[in-house]
């Protein structure tokens, strides 16, 4: 395709959801998470979407040994016993309900609605229409999608890919929902095609964790198991809201608490789930007050995590000066680590006044947290996107590692690093080779196993892919799951990039905004969900996934597929590969997906740790992948864990600016919007809200219920998110919080973490500007 002029775009298609209000109401924040309220809301969603019989059939096997893995988060299941009352949480029930809904979006739906009309609907409305049922094509210049056959759709995709000037003009995105089998076939197809352009959702969340941990302990994964939580003496939960994003983690924390652990919560926002938990599987969760979880809440300034972690470590040094051996595990450090002398010098040089000012936490509070760690090596540090989505996200992760190494809390029971992953197989996809920067060892194993030379040059991550699509019109973008447009930063820039493409392809279960902002042509390939039966030529199949703690286990749906026209992701990949690189190049694609045991046999040959894959994964609970750091061995160049020294970030704000961080509501998972409430923050009926400290509102002449525009000018160009309602909230002064993805438009494309390139969505300078229409929400409803 030599002609690379900008392609004509559908200018009337909106990249952002409408900024209309649906009726905000605020209410007191509940005193505890889960409990009868969680059961009520889970039941309401499940019965409403699936009906009572279908709901019971689906939920009784979610996360069970012979069932399917929840399509929500990646929190692990118990290795042995699974509760007969259900191994799922409220938001897991919502995730299952969304996928197993009885609603359908067929060709008649698209005959009634143009793409432009659909773009004026909210993301919530789009998702609630139901499951996609047929392959669909949006032809150049067409206003509506039309039904297509699988052969027609796949032939069109292969034709466009083959017509590219270079394979590097194609971008193959992956969502964390994708199974190990589909992900392995996908990366094999892409590399045989000739590119490493494999951006994935991990680029936008825990890439900083992988980068940081690989350098410090030699593996980009966590080191703890679920059993470690009952053995730990101290657990830090940093930059994470498990009550909403990983609710089953609260059960592990409850067990830790009852075993005597001290829990320290570090976050800019107070979160109900870390205050008190009512376990719905216990009588006390229904009749009592539940279990108090966090012993200490450190309300860190947005972006102050490095200063806080340094403060705790400086206090440990000072404890060690007074009580040698209790603050610093010097013998263990000498035997197992490198770089401690520089780290100690950096901590001693740090000024307490600066650490207090930058962290927003007092010296006394930091010393109290350090005292909890003194004298024990059974310490776990958990974290999520509150740590990783900063320009210094890698430094934040390595500061967590430094804290563990100072107390020798690595490679031992009840101790270690716990980056809590989001989507249920995002870690497994990376293990399978979904990475734009594969190691040479991985490429060499592919070559030895499949007898072809994979591309050697690194490919494009999410941010780089968007920029390259902007710079080189005429690309092909292929997404194996997900909602790329809404998940990425800088919504308008991402939309321009997608519109520059010749073709955009989405493998999906449900309608989302990425189906509406498209290239010159677009294809939707509807796939099976986790909950559904997958029957191939060899009979009923199961897939495998890897959880946050490196356990690989099987997942098998039992529901009848939403449509006879749906296909499994491995089948879709194999059929495209047969057309794109050849039906038997480098494997017989169609034979492989006839029985997924054959795919797993290929994985066993190509990827270390999967010995006897088919037999071991059939055992209840699956198997653990090798994790040397868990055993106290560090695959770094010198064989030792590494301390890393980082300077505090230098940031300034104008007097009228606030630092915005994006968060999720309790009624969403990633870009999937289950409802319009966020009951753990006291919000109902609205998503276009901005949480601001009451004093910061007053300083700007504003009050709760005022309608404002959020104006970002991070790199000199104004970005505006219109019509948000102000909600007074316990946010650190100088900061505010808004929901993802509505505020993604304010996150500049190149505002990203150093080295990991994770979008820095947790530190974005903005201003609040009264909305031009001068409206206010009902003041009686906004406290």
């Amino acid at each position: 395709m030599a002609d690379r002029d900008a392609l004509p775009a559908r200018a009337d298609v909106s990249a952002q959801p409408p900024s209309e209000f649906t009726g905000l109401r605020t209410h007191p924040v509940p005193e505890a998470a889960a409990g009868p309220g969680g059961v009520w809301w889970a039941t309401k969603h499940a019965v409403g979407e699936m009906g009572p019989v279908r709901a019971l059939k689906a939920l009784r096997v979610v996360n069970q040994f012979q069932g399917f893995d929840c399509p929500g988060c990646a929190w692990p299941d118990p290795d042995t016993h699974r509760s007969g009352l259900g191994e799922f949480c409220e938001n897991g029930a919502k995730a299952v309900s969304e996928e197993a809904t009885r609603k359908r979006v067929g060709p008649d739906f698209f005959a009634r609605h143009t793409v432009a009309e659909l773009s004026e609907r909210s993301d919530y409305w789009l998702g609630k229409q139901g499951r996609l049922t047929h392959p669909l094509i949006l032809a150049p210049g067409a206003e509506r999608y039309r039904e297509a056959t699988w052969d027609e759709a796949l032939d069109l995709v292969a034709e466009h890919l083959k017509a590219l000037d270079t394979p590097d003009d194609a971008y193959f995105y992956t969502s964390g929902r994708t199974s190990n089998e589909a992900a392995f076939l996908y990366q094999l197809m892409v590399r045989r095609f000739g590119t490493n352009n494999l951006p994935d959702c991990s680029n936008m969340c825990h890439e900083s964790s992988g980068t940081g941990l690989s350098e410090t302990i030699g593996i980009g994964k966590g080191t703890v198991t679920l059993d470690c939580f009952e053995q730990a003496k101290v657990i830090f939960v940093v930059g994470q809201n498990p009550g909403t994003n990983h609710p089953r983690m609260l059960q592990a924390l409850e067990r830790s608490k009852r075993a005597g652990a001290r829990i320290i919560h570090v976050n800019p926002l107070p979160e109900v789930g870390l205050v008190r938990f009512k376990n719905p599987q216990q009588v006390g969760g229904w009749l009592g007050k539940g279990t108090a979880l966090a012993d200490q809440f450190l309300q860190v300034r947005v972006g102050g995590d490095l200063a806080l972690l340094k403060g705790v470590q400086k206090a440990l040094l000072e404890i060690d000066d007074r009580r040698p051996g209790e603050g610093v595990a010097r013998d263990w450090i000498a035997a197992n680590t490198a770089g401690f002398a520089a780290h100690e010098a950096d901590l001693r040089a740090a000024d307490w006044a600066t650490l207090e000012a930058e962290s927003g936490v007092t010296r006394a509070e930091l010393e109290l947290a350090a005292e909890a760690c003194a004298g024990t090596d059974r310490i776990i540090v958990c974290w999520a996107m509150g740590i990783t989505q900063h320009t210094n996200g890698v430094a934040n992760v390595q500061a967590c590692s430094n804290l563990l190494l100072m107390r020798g809390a690595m490679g031992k029971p009840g101790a270690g690093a716990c980056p809590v992953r989001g989507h249920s197989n995002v870690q497994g996809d990376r293990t399978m080779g979904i990475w734009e920067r594969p190691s040479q060892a991985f490429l060499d194993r592919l070559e030895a196993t499949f007898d072809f030379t994979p591309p050697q040059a690194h490919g494009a991550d999410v941010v780089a892919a968007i920029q390259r699509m902007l710079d080189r019109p005429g690309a092909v973008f292929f997404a194996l799951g997900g909602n790329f447009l809404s998940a990425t930063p800088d919504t308008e820039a991402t939309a321009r990039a997608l519109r520059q493409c010749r073709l955009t392809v989405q493998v999906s279960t449900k309608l989302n905004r990425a189906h509406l902002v498209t290239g010159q042509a677009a294809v939707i390939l509807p796939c099976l969900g986790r909950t559904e039966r997958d029957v191939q030529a060899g009979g009923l199949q199961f897939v495998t996934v890897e959880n946050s703690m490196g356990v690989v286990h099987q997942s098998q749906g039992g529901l009848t597929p939403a449509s006879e026209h749906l296909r499994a992701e491995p089948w879709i990949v194999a059929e495209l590969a047969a057309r794109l690189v050849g039906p038997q190049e480098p494997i017989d694609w169609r034979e492989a997906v006839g029985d997924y045991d054959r795919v797993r046999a290929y994985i066993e040959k190509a990827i270390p740790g999967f010995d006897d894959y088919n037999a071991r994964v059939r055992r209840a609970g699956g198997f653990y992948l090798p994790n040397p750091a868990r055993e106290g061995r560090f695959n770094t160049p010198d064989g030792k864990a590494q301390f890393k020294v980082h300077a505090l970030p230098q940031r300034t704000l104008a007097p009228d600016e606030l630092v915005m961080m994006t968060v999720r509501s309790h009624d969403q998972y990633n870009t999937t919007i289950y409802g319009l409430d966020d009951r753990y923050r006291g919000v109902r009926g609205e998503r276009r809200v901005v949480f601001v400290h009451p004093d910061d509102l007053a300083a700007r002449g504003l009050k709760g219920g005022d309608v404002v525009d959020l104006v970002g000018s991070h790199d000199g160009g104004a970005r505006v998110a219109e019509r948000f309602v102000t909600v007074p909230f316990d946010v650190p002064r100088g900061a505010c919080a808004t929901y993802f993805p509505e505020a993604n438009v304010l996150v500049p494309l190149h505002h990203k973490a150093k080295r990991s390139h994770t979008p820095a969505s947790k530190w974005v300078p903005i201003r609040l500007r009264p909305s031009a229409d001068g409206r206010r929400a009902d003041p009686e409803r906004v406290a």
Side-chain angles (χ1 to χ4, degrees), residues 264-481:
I264 300 171
H265 183 209
V266 181
N267 203 50
L269 302 182
E271 301 292 4
V272 171
L274 269 300
V275 175
R276 188 173 291 274
F277 170 53
K278 290 186 175 183
N279 191 334
Q281 296 195 354
Q282 298 177 2
V283 174
W286 288 81
L287 303 179
K289 293 182 178 180
T291 303
L293 293 182
D295 297 276
Q296 187 178 8
F297 174 46
L298 301 178
Q299 190 168 25
V300 65
R301 288 181 59 199
V302 177
D305 307 278
L306 182 57
L308 184 146
L309 290 163
K310 279 194 174 189
V312 173
Q313 293 167 66
K314 182 177 178 69
L316 279 171
L317 273 180
E318 295 177 352
I319 290 171
D320 201 67
D321 291 340
R322 300 189 301 271
R323 308 194 300 271
E326 290 194 26
V328 182
R330 293 186 182 274
D331 290 345
W332 186 90
I333 287 170
N336 295 280
T337 74
F340 179 67
H343 179 60
E344 181 175 9
D346 178 67
L347 292 177
R348 292 196 184 280
D351 175 65
W352 271 115
T354 300
L355 295 177
E356 287 182 300
E358 290 297 314
S359 69
V361 178
T362 67
R363 177 177 179 176
E365 292 176 293
L366 297 174
E367 290 175 334
L368 182 61
E371 280 290 351
C373 301
T376 183
D377 58 4
R378 288 194 281 167
I379 303 167
I380 295 174
V381 179
C382 309
W383 69 87
M385 269 75 84
I387 283 289
T388 63
Q389 290 182 330
H390 290 273
T391 55
N392 67 328
V394 173
N396 287 339
V397 169
Q398 293 181 339
C400 294
S401 178
N402 287 344
L403 174 58
L404 292 166
L405 297 179
M406 281 189 72
R407 288 300 311 137
M410 188 69 72
K412 302 172 182 178
C418 183
V420 184
R421 306 283 178 172
H423 224 148
S424 62
N425 198 40
V426 63
Q427 187 162 297
D429 288 348
R430 181 58 55 89
T431 301
M432 292 296 105
I434 301 295
W435 196 22
E436 76 284 352
R437 292 180 289 135
S439 70
Q440 190 60 50
F442 179 86
L443 295 178
D444 290 346
R445 285 192 299 270
L446 278 189
E447 182 169 8
T449 303
F450 298 106
D451 195 27
F452 78 97
T453 302
Q456 302 296 298
H458 285 170
D461 58 23
V462 164
V463 170
I466 295 169
Q467 187 60 58
R468 291 186 191 181
M469 288 189 289
L470 285 168
D471 293 342
R472 288 177 61 84
V476 173
F477 176 81
F478 189 105
L480 189 60

Side-chain angles (χ1 to χ4, degrees), residues 111-133:
R112 295 194 306 270
H113 299 287
T114 67
V115 169
E117 289 169 355
L118 291 172
S119 75
E120 296 302 320
R121 298 287 195 168
S122 69
D123 291 351
Y124 171 63
W125 186 92
L126 292 174
K128 285 297 181 183
Q129 299 314 296
R131 289 287 301 277
L132 295 160
T133 62

Side-chain angles (χ1 to χ4, degrees), residues 670-722:
N670 294 338
T671 59
T672 301
I673 311 302
Y674 302 139
L676 302 177
D677 298 344
D678 189 1
R679 73 175 189 279
Y680 288 172
R681 297 192 182 104
V683 169
R684 287 184 180 169
E686 183 56 70
R687 289 187 53 82
R688 298 188 76 84
V689 301
V690 54
F691 298 99
V692 189
H693 193 284
D695 292 346
D696 282 329
L697 286 176
R700 289 159 177 76
L702 299 170
K703 52 188 175 294
D706 284 344
V707 179
V708 298
D709 298 334
L710 312 182
V711 182
S713 55
H714 187 275
D715 55 0
R719 292 173 171 81
V720 181
E722 295 182 338

Side-chain angles (χ1 to χ4, degrees), residues 8 10 138-144 519-521:
R10 295 175 174 83
L138 183 66
E143 295 185 340
R144 292 175 170 82
Q520 188 177 36

Side-chain angles (χ1 to χ4, degrees), residues 133-134 150 561-567:
T133 62
H134 291 68
W150 275 102
S563 165
E564 64 178 346
H565 301 286
L566 303 186
R567 297 293 183 267

